[in-house]
Every structure is written in structure tokens, then in C-alpha cells.
């Protein structure tokens, strides 16, 4: 990217993401609200994505369209070993879990 092109981009903070979609459901666990949001598919041949947003308060009712800003986070899960189907080699896999926390003001 050329420096001149950067001037026209909107200012976005690192690790912030805008989520827009339809609420599919929610649950409360350990004092936090977890809301599942189905995002629109990118095109007619793609699947919609399902994400989960963690918040203090309810984001809306099931079926409601929302748009909100979240902080992207993540952590490593327990590593495990598996066999590579092509080579037969045993490889160590370290899964990463992503999180979305609502920016609440």
C-alpha cells in the first residue's frame, strides 16, 4: 500500500472490529451475556458466518438486526497430536479460540 492511499482510510483502532448481523440467540453464563450473531454471506455462493459476542447487557431480541463494535481477542487451547493424512507424520496442533467483547461505554 502506498503512503498516499493510507490517508483516505478511516481511522480504526487495532483489534477493533464492527460486527453486523441478525441475533440468532443468547445465553447468560457466569454473569456475562453471550449473543450469537449470524452475519450476511459475502455472496450467493458463500455461507453466512456465526460469531458470539460477550457483553454485560443484552444486545437485543432474537431476529433483530444489530451493528456493534467489539474488541477481538483470543487464547490458546490445549495442544494435541494428530496424524497428517498426506504424509503420515505426527503433528502437534495448538488450537486458538477467538473472542469478541462488546465495547460498552
Amino acid at each position: 500500500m502506498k503512503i498516499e492511499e493510507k490517508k483516505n482510510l478511516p481511522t480504526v483502532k487495532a483489534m477493533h472490529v464492527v460486527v453486523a448481523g441478525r441475533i440468532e440467540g443468547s445465553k447468560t453464563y457466569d454473569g456475562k451475556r453471550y449473543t450469537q450473531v449470524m452475519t450476511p454471506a459475502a455472496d450467493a455462493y458463500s455461507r453466512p458466518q456465526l460469531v458470539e459476542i460477550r457483553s454485560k447487557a443484552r444486545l437485543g431480541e432474537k431476529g433483530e438486526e444489530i451493528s456493534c463494535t467489539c474488541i477481538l481477542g483470543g487464547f490458546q487451547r490445549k495442544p494435541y497430536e494428530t496424524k497428517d493424512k498426506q504424509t503420515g507424520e505426527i503433528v502437534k496442533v495448538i488450537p486458538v479460540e477467538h473472542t469478541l467483547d462488546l465495547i460498552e461505554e
Side-chain angles (χ1 to χ4, degrees), residues 59-101:
L59 297 182
E61 300 296 323
K62 184 175 179 174
E64 187 177 336
E65 300 266 334
I66 64 164
S67 179
C68 58
T69 305
C70 300
I71 296 176
L72 177 64
F75 56 93
Q76 288 183 349
R77 289 258 181 215
K78 183 179 176 182
Y80 62 92
E81 291 183 348
T82 188
K83 185 186 282 189
D84 186 307
K85 292 179 182 180
Q86 293 178 340
T87 65
E89 177 186 5
I90 302 294
V91 293
K92 185 176 182 179
V93 177
I94 304 173
V96 174
E97 184 79 24
H98 292 103
T99 60
L100 289 171
D101 289 302

Side-chain angles (χ1 to χ4, degrees), residues 20-22 24 37-42 46-51:
R22 183 181 65 220
E24 293 295 308
V37 177
M38 182 77 67
T39 65
S46 306
R47 290 186 188 168
Q49 302 295 308
L50 183 67
V51 297

Side-chain angles (χ1 to χ4, degrees), residues 12-57:
V12 179
K13 292 184 179 180
M15 305 305 289
H16 284 203
V17 61
V18 175
V19 177
R22 183 181 65 220
I23 296 176
E24 293 295 308
S26 67
K27 64 183 177 199
T28 303
Y29 176 76
D30 203 20
K32 295 279 187 179
R33 172 71 78 178
Y34 295 84
T35 304
Q36 295 81 34
V37 177
M38 182 77 67
T39 65
D43 58 51
Y45 304 100
S46 306
R47 290 186 188 168
Q49 302 295 308
L50 183 67
V51 297
E52 187 171 67
I53 300 171
R54 186 168 48 192
S55 63
K56 294 177 187 172

